[in-house]
Amino acid sequence: MSTRSNSSNLFSPLRDPESLIRRRNLGEPSSLFNFEEVMSIPHNNMGPPPAGPPPPNNNGPPPMVRPNGQAPRSMEELCQPSIDGRGGPIAPIPIQATDFGLRHHMIQQVQNSQFHGLPGDDANRHIDKFLEITQHMKQNRVSDDALRLSLFPYSLTHHAIAWYDRLPRNSIHSFDDMMRKFLSKYFPPSMVTKLRNEITKFEQKPHESLFEAWERYKLSIDRCPNHNMLLVTQIDTFYNGLTLSHRDTINAAAGGTFMQKTPEECYELIENMTAHHNHWDTSATRDETSRNISSTTTTESPEVVRQLESCFDSLNFDHSFV
């Protein structure tokens, strides 16, 4: 930036600079500038001074004025908690009834099956149980959606209710909104993948009966309602995950044609076998126990015989003594 051009705009050129210099040389230093003359010269970029009182000094803080005209609040008032912006995650529900209120027995029934939010808790099972409990709860001029939405927070406790309290205010407008948020928290896609892998990679455990294996397999399917597996895939996965001896047992029960039956017939056959599992030798533990008993009896037979002979000798001695 050039300072020379800026300084040239401060004052206009003097009318007679030579006369001014001669007067200074004659001993009149005060006459270097004729201020009246200078002030009478129009300045560039400068207008006449504003009329009226000088402008106020704006260096200080602006005055505190509330929009409603009231006096500003003190520090104590500002530090007090406010109810503005408070409220729960559920938005106001449109209810026609003027005297709506949750009844005590409704809340108590819901609280009997609460969800804790622990790693082993089944979120899908909790929803099914909640819908089962509330399906018969009715109240005049109150929709089922509004009633369930009002009751659902009472079915949560511990970690789950803490999660619910942290949801944004007025972020839930229907029971479907609540279910989506609940399942996204406690039944995320990663859990779906884990449960689906448990189904597809099923294997019968050692010493597990057919009944126990079938019940465990069905529980895995129930815990993952969106597994997207057809019945034929479920039956095939279970059958191939069994031990060879239990596959032979199923084939024997089917007359040697298990895989030639329909998926529905196969399912019914397994259900009937496991329902009467005490009548079928479906436990590998029984086979192992039978082999152990047979082996023990064979190896220890001479000793058992000697003990029996000693017992009989003692009885004969006592009899002759009497």
Side-chain angles (χ1 to χ4, degrees):
M1 179 182 294
S2 175
T3 57
R4 179 175 301 176
S5 59
N6 293 336
S7 61
S8 63
N9 296 328
L10 295 177
F11 299 100
S12 298
L14 298 177
R15 296 178 180 177
D16 191 1
E18 296 180 355
S19 174
L20 188 62
I21 294 173
R22 284 196 302 268
R23 280 184 292 175
R24 182 189 178 207
N25 294 333
L26 293 175
E28 300 179 7
S30 60
S31 61
L32 178 61
F33 291 104
N34 187 348
F35 289 98
E36 294 181 357
E37 180 182 8
V38 172
M39 293 301 295
S40 64
I41 300 174
H43 297 166
N44 294 335
N45 300 330
M46 294 181 64
N57 185 9
N58 294 329
N59 294 331
M64 296 180 61
V65 179
R66 300 176 66 179
N68 55 7
Q70 297 180 359
R73 292 184 296 176
S74 64
M75 287 291 296
E76 181 180 2
E77 292 175 336
L78 293 173
C79 292
Q80 292 293 329
S82 174
I83 62 173
D84 295 337
R86 297 288 184 94
I90 299 178
I93 308 173
I95 297 176
Q96 296 181 358
T98 57
D99 57 346
F100 172 69
L102 295 177
R103 300 174 183 174
H104 177 71
H105 73 276
M106 294 181 178
I107 298 176
Q108 188 174 9
Q109 290 184 44
V110 170
Q111 289 179 335
N112 289 335
S113 300
Q114 287 184 316
F115 184 84
H116 293 73
L118 299 176
D121 291 349
D122 190 343
N124 287 296
R125 176 58 182 164
H126 178 71
I127 294 177
D128 292 340
K129 189 67 176 178
F130 177 81
L131 294 175
E132 180 183 355
I133 294 174
T134 58
Q135 64 179 343
H136 300 298
M137 294 182 180
K138 305 293 180 181
Q139 194 159 347
N140 293 333
R141 307 184 71 182
V142 179
S143 65
D144 294 341
D145 187 86
L147 186 60
R148 289 171 178 170
L149 185 57
S150 301
L151 283 170
F152 189 78
Y154 292 96
S155 71
L156 307 177
T157 186
H158 292 93
H159 299 288
I161 193 63
W163 160 81
Y164 168 80
D165 291 336
R166 291 192 299 267
L167 291 176
R169 177 176 176 262
N170 294 338
S171 60
I172 301 174
H173 298 84
S174 66
F175 186 69
D176 289 338
D177 288 345
M178 176 68 78
M179 292 302 95
R180 281 194 293 268
K181 293 181 181 296
F182 178 74
L183 290 177
S184 64
K185 170 63 177 179
Y186 293 105
F187 198 73
S190 59
M191 184 174 293
V192 176
T193 303
K194 177 183 177 181
L195 294 176
R196 188 181 290 118
N197 290 335
E198 290 182 3
I199 299 173
T200 57
K201 298 179 181 180
F202 168 79
E203 286 186 359
Q204 187 179 10
K205 296 180 180 180
H207 310 302
E208 188 178 36
S209 67
L210 179 63
F211 168 78
E212 295 167 342
W214 179 242
E215 291 298 317
R216 180 169 62 87
Y217 183 72
K218 289 194 302 181
L219 180 61
S220 298
I221 293 177
D222 292 340
R223 292 184 61 191
C224 187
N226 51 344
H227 53 75
N228 298 325
M229 294 176 61
L230 299 175
L231 182 61
V232 59
T233 307
Q234 299 177 29
I235 297 298
D236 184 70
T237 303
F238 175 74
Y239 178 79
N240 289 291
L242 294 174
T243 61
L244 180 60
S245 60
H246 286 99
R247 275 183 280 174
D248 292 340
T249 303
I250 291 178
N251 273 314
T257 59
F258 179 76
M259 297 303 294
Q260 296 180 5
K261 295 182 177 295
T262 64
E264 291 78 13
E265 292 174 343
C266 293
Y267 186 91
E268 185 178 358
L269 176 64
I270 299 175
E271 278 288 312
N272 290 334
M273 292 181 64
T274 54
H276 305 86
H277 62 95
N278 289 331
H279 301 288
W280 294 86
D281 187 15
T282 59
S283 176
T285 307
R286 295 180 183 177
D287 297 337
E288 186 69 21
T289 304
S290 300
R291 286 193 295 268
N292 290 337
I293 293 175
S294 177
S295 175
T296 303
T297 304
T298 302
T299 55
E300 296 183 357
S301 293
E303 181 65 25
V304 172
V305 171
R306 285 193 295 270
Q307 291 179 1
L308 289 175
E309 290 178 350
S310 175
C311 181
F312 283 122
D313 292 340
S314 176
L315 290 175
N316 292 334
F317 174 79
D318 292 340
H319 179 71
S320 60
F321 178 79
V322 175

